[in-house]
């Protein structure tokens, strides 16, 4: 889902973990300043305002019609011509795990470094997985996976190059899987308008953009035949009643999304300036996170953790740290103070 476990990412205690592990951080750094500030994830720090939900959301099994309404709203939000090309799921991670069970692929190429769960899921299914740095290295892979924009560097592959690859994959019965977890906040990135296409599967995340990762909601966008296969594999009542209710409201609220995007744009500019003043080089990112480089990244990680600020480190790219966007004035002040207090 273009999410928070990235190829070569090292988590707390040296294990490869996802971002957001505050309890693990607290165990490793018991003397850290409290409360912890979690900048280790790529999740909107100011989430969609969740209204009071009717008790029926929790008491009843979700109605098929409610799921279809959610998918119709998602189709409009993502620019899909027909809601029959949209299927809701309990988070894109469930779809990342599911696709290797629906598509038999001996060879899989993943454009990286990127979200590590893609390669891990295909490998668990028995595929031979290669990390490639560009589309023209895909070779004879049956499946090519691209995160667009990419996590952690925000790289964007030109749409024309993706469509050319998709056509080539279709000609040989292959698939292009495009994880657009961060595409809601990027201009002209989504491939949804190209659907239906016989080789394209697009994954869209709800929780990151809307700051509601705990809702566990995501979508697969594809030609109706593939959508039908995904829906059958997910089974009935795959998405919870509260997720359906909140998702339907939020995805239909384009004004909130536009306002959030403007606020995040200001936050990104502020964060970049703070990091550059501290001596970091900005490598890239999206409106939900920034990737910065420093020869002392490991020491920076420890210093920030001691200040109760959790960021994202990387095992292979040892000079990289990824920073999420602070949520409020207090978090901004604490991060600025911690950056200024660093002694190297």
């Amino acid at each position: 889902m273009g999410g928070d476990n990235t190829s070569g990412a090292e988590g707390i205690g040296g294990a490869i973990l996802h971002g957001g592990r505050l309890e693990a951080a607290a165990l490793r750094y018991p003397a850290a300043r409290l409360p912890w500030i979690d900048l280790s994830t790529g999740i909107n720090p100011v989430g969609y305002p969740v209204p009071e939900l009717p008790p029926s959301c929790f008491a009843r099994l979700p109605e098929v019609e409610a799921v279809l309404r959610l998918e119709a709203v998602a189709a409009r939000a993502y620019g899909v011509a027909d809601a029959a090309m949209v299927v809701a799921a309990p988070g894109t991670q469930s779809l990342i795990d599911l696709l290797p069970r629906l598509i038999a692929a001996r060879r899989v190429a993943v454009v990286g470094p990127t979200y590590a769960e893609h390669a891990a899921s295909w490998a668990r299914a028995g595929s031979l997985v290669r990390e490639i740095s560009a589309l023209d290295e895909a070779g004879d892979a049956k499946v090519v996976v691209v995160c667009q924009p990419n996590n952690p560097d925000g790289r964007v592959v030109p749409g024309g190059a993706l469509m050319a690859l998709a056509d080539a994959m279709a000609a040989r019965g292959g698939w292009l899987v495009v994880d657009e977890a961060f595409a809601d906040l990027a201009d002209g990135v989504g491939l949804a308008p190209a659907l239906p296409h016989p080789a394209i599967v697009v994954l869209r995340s709800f929780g990151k953009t809307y700051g509601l990762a705990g809702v566990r909601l995501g979508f697969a966008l594809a030609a109706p035949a593939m959508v039908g296969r995904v829906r059958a594999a997910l089974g009935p009542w795959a998405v919870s009643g509260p997720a359906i209710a909140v998702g339907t409201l939020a995805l239909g609220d384009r004004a909130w999304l536009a306002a959030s995007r403007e606020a995040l744009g200001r936050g990104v500019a502020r964060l970049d300036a703070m990091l550059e003043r501290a001596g970091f080089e900005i490598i890239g990112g999206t409106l939900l996170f920034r990737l910065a480089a420093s020869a002392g990244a490991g020491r920076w990680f420890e210093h920030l953790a001691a200040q109760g600020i959790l960021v994202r480190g990387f095992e292979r790219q040892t000079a990289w740290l990824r920073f999420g966007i602070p949520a409020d004035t207090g978090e901004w002040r604490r991060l600025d103070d911690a950056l200024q207090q660093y002694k190297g």
Side-chain angles (χ1 to χ4, degrees), residues 29 52 55 81 167 214 247 259 324 326:
Y29 302 97
E52 183 175 353
D167 291 343

Side-chain angles (χ1 to χ4, degrees), residues 15 39 42 78 146 163 287:
L39 303 183
Y78 298 141
V146 180
M163 289 307 302
L287 291 186

Side-chain angles (χ1 to χ4, degrees), residues 36-259:
W36 277 89
I37 296 174
D38 185 9
L39 303 183
S40 68
T41 69
I43 297 170
N44 196 331
V46 181
Y48 187 81
V50 178
E52 183 175 353
L53 298 177
S56 60
C57 285
F58 302 91
R60 294 178 54 83
L61 288 171
E63 298 282 357
V64 171
E65 290 78 9
V67 176
L68 294 176
R69 283 193 293 272
L70 167 64
E71 292 168 350
V73 172
R76 290 192 292 272
Y78 298 141
V80 181
D82 186 343
M85 295 184 284
V86 179
V87 57
T92 47
Q93 182 59 51
S94 67
L95 296 167
I96 291 169
D97 291 334
L98 180 61
L99 286 178
R101 302 199 295 272
L102 297 180
I103 301 172
R106 176 65 175 165
R107 293 179 175 82
V108 173
V110 179
V111 180
T114 193
Y115 183 55
E117 288 295 335
H118 285 289
S121 294
W122 289 100
R124 283 194 296 269
S127 299
L128 299 175
V129 182
R130 289 188 301 120
E131 182 177 300
I132 61 176
S133 60
L135 298 185
D136 59 9
E137 299 172 10
D140 62 351
K142 174 73 174 292
V143 173
V144 178
V145 180
V146 180
C147 289
Q148 178 89 335
N150 189 52
N151 172 26
D153 59 7
R155 178 187 66 240
V156 172
V157 179
L162 284 176
M163 289 307 302
L165 177 61
D167 291 343
M169 299 299 288
R172 65 173 187 259
W175 293 89
L176 173 62
V177 177
V178 185
D179 184 342
E180 296 181 352
F182 298 101
D184 290 340
L185 301 168
D187 287 323
V189 169
L191 280 191
L195 296 173
H197 188 284
I200 294 177
V201 178
V202 173
L203 306 180
R204 297 294 292 240
S205 171
F206 172 81
K208 293 177 180 62
T209 299
Y210 293 89
L212 299 173
V215 167
R216 307 312 304 137
L217 178 63
F219 300 88
L221 318 178
M226 174 55 78
V227 161
R229 293 175 63 191
V230 172
R231 193 184 304 279
L234 288 169
W237 312 300
V239 179
S240 73
I244 293 169
V246 174
T248 302
L249 286 172
L251 287 167
D253 193 341
R254 309 309 289 173
W256 181 91
L257 184 63

Side-chain angles (χ1 to χ4, degrees), residues 191-335:
L191 280 191
L195 296 173
H197 188 284
I200 294 177
V201 178
V202 173
L203 306 180
R204 297 294 292 240
S205 171
F206 172 81
K208 293 177 180 62
T209 299
Y210 293 89
L212 299 173
V215 167
R216 307 312 304 137
L217 178 63
F219 300 88
L221 318 178
M226 174 55 78
V227 161
R229 293 175 63 191
V230 172
R231 193 184 304 279
L234 288 169
W237 312 300
V239 179
S240 73
I244 293 169
V246 174
T248 302
L249 286 172
L251 287 167
D253 193 341
R254 309 309 289 173
W256 181 91
L257 184 63
S260 182
R261 181 173 180 165
E262 288 185 11
L264 288 167
R266 293 190 297 270
V268 159
R270 183 178 181 182
L271 181 56
D272 282 356
M274 288 173 60
L275 293 173
E276 287 174 337
R277 283 197 303 270
F280 283 93
E281 176 191 358
I282 306 301
I283 303 299
T286 71
L287 291 186
L288 292 178
F289 60 82
R290 308 306 288 164
L291 182 66
S294 168
R299 295 189 298 275
W300 269 111
F301 182 94
E302 295 292 325
H303 167 73
L304 292 168
Q307 298 298 314
I309 300 173
L310 184 63
V311 298
R312 197 74 172 88
F314 300 88
E315 183 178 40
R316 291 188 307 190
Q317 297 86 7
T318 56
W320 288 3
L321 290 177
R322 197 190 67 189
F323 292 77
I325 312 300
D328 53 37
T329 300
E331 290 193 2
W332 280 107
R333 184 179 299 116
R334 278 184 58 188
L335 176 61

